[in-house]
């Protein structure tokens, strides 16, 4: 079994599970789908450790 297949199969199952957002009203589902992935990306980037940059002045 390919490692990529092993990792992506559970993700595909969760992504195609419509019951995760089913309790929410339709208008709220659209907002969640549009805003949650960018928010997670932003927070992950904000939390990541960065190397300091030395000024060349």
């Amino acid at each position: 079994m390919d490692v990529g297949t092993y990792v992506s199969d559970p993700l595909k199952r969760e992504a195609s599970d419509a019951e995760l957002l089913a309790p929410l009203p339709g208008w709220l589902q659209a907002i969640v789908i549009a805003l949650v992935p960018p928010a997670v990306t932003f927070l992950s980037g904000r939390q990541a450790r960065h190397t300091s940059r030395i000024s060349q002045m």
Side-chain angles (χ1 to χ4, degrees):
M1 176 180 263
D2 183 26
V3 173
T5 303
Y6 178 75
V7 171
S8 68
D9 282 346
L11 297 176
K12 287 179 185 176
R13 276 185 266 134
E14 291 300 322
S16 65
D17 188 4
E19 292 182 14
L20 292 174
L21 295 175
L24 301 176
W27 63 271
L28 188 56
Q29 289 178 8
I31 292 172
V32 168
I33 290 170
L35 295 181
V36 168
V40 169
T41 302
F42 172 77
L43 293 174
S44 298
R46 183 116 169 113
Q47 183 65 27
R49 295 182 184 259
H50 300 292
T51 57
S52 60
R53 296 183 184 199
I54 300 172
S55 177
Q56 298 295 329
M57 293 184 163

